[in-house]
Amino acid sequence: EINGKGSAYCVSPFSQFHSKSVRHICRTVKRLSEKRKKKYIYTYWHQPDTAMHRYGVKSEQAHEQILLINSEVEKLCKRIKNSLVIITADHECGGITADGDNFIYTSNNHTNTNVPLFALGGGVKEWVDSTYALENIDVAKHIASIFGETEFGQSGFIPMP
């Protein structure tokens, strides 16, 4: 429960939902999204990172994982209503740069390159502008504001359970 205004859930292989695939994660998110009240649903899946480390960033296995995740998340986004979906990663892998319509990988490992953030749904235009880099705390502040937290991220503010 988030200050009586909604609920928070974690959907991953390590959570109470014990997700075994990205498809299972998306099904669980769909089911949770149907509950009344606002909700924050955090998900984690280890792909394509695992495939990139095991087989390389340019591998067919990594590419297949990216296509699968894209397909499942696209289907999910078409099925849920009144939702803000934010997709990002904990780090960038491969040092991807664009050269026209082609992507070039400059590394086979983690890099310090900014991580892309994709957002879809209500409220996106209020805080996402593709012309600048967004700080992590700004994403957290926006999510907190959905639940009425106006002081989140301010010095000394710690949300109470």
Side-chain angles (χ1 to χ4, degrees):
E1 192 71 20
I2 304 172
N3 293 337
K5 298 177 183 168
S7 299
Y9 304 94
C10 176
V11 181
S12 80
F14 315 108
S15 73
Q16 67 188 22
F17 299 102
H18 305 289
S19 303
K20 303 283 187 229
S21 68
V22 70
R23 187 169 289 123
H24 183 252
I25 286 172
C26 289
R27 279 192 220 125
T28 304
V29 168
K30 169 70 170 105
R31 186 171 42 83
L32 291 172
S33 72
E34 294 169 347
K35 292 185 174 212
R36 294 194 156 292
K37 285 192 164 188
K38 291 181 181 182
K39 68 228 37 101
Y40 172 77
I41 305 170
Y42 166 84
T43 69
Y44 168 81
W45 187 240
H46 62 89
Q47 293 290 2
D49 189 57
T50 298
M52 288 179 164
H53 285 295
R54 188 170 293 152
Y55 305 108
V57 296
K58 298 180 194 177
S59 70
E60 185 60 32
Q61 293 90 335
H63 185 73
E64 286 172 5
Q65 289 299 318
I66 291 167
L67 292 176
L68 174 64
I69 292 166
N70 284 351
S71 173
E72 292 300 320
V73 171
E74 184 178 357
K75 286 188 258 182
L76 171 67
C77 289
K78 288 178 180 177
R79 288 185 234 154
I80 58 177
K81 305 269 189 272
N82 301 319
S83 298
L84 171 61
V85 177
I86 302 169
I87 302 168
T88 192
D90 60 339
H91 61 79
E92 199 271 345
C93 199
I96 300 172
T97 59
D99 180 19
D101 290 336
N102 299 314
F103 292 101
I104 299 168
Y105 294 90
T106 59
S107 171
N108 283 319
N109 212 329
H110 299 178
T111 68
N112 64 354
T113 302
N114 286 339
V115 176
L117 180 136
F118 302 95
L120 171 72
V124 171
K125 291 182 181 182
E126 298 168 11
W127 64 284
V128 174
D129 179 343
S130 62
T131 62
Y132 71 95
L134 194 64
E135 295 294 328
N136 291 350
I137 190 64
D138 293 332
V139 176
K141 283 180 182 178
H142 181 72
I143 292 168
S145 74
I146 292 170
F147 291 93
E149 295 293 348
T150 57
E151 297 181 32
F152 184 85
Q154 304 299 318
S155 179
F157 174 75
I158 300 172
M160 301 306 285

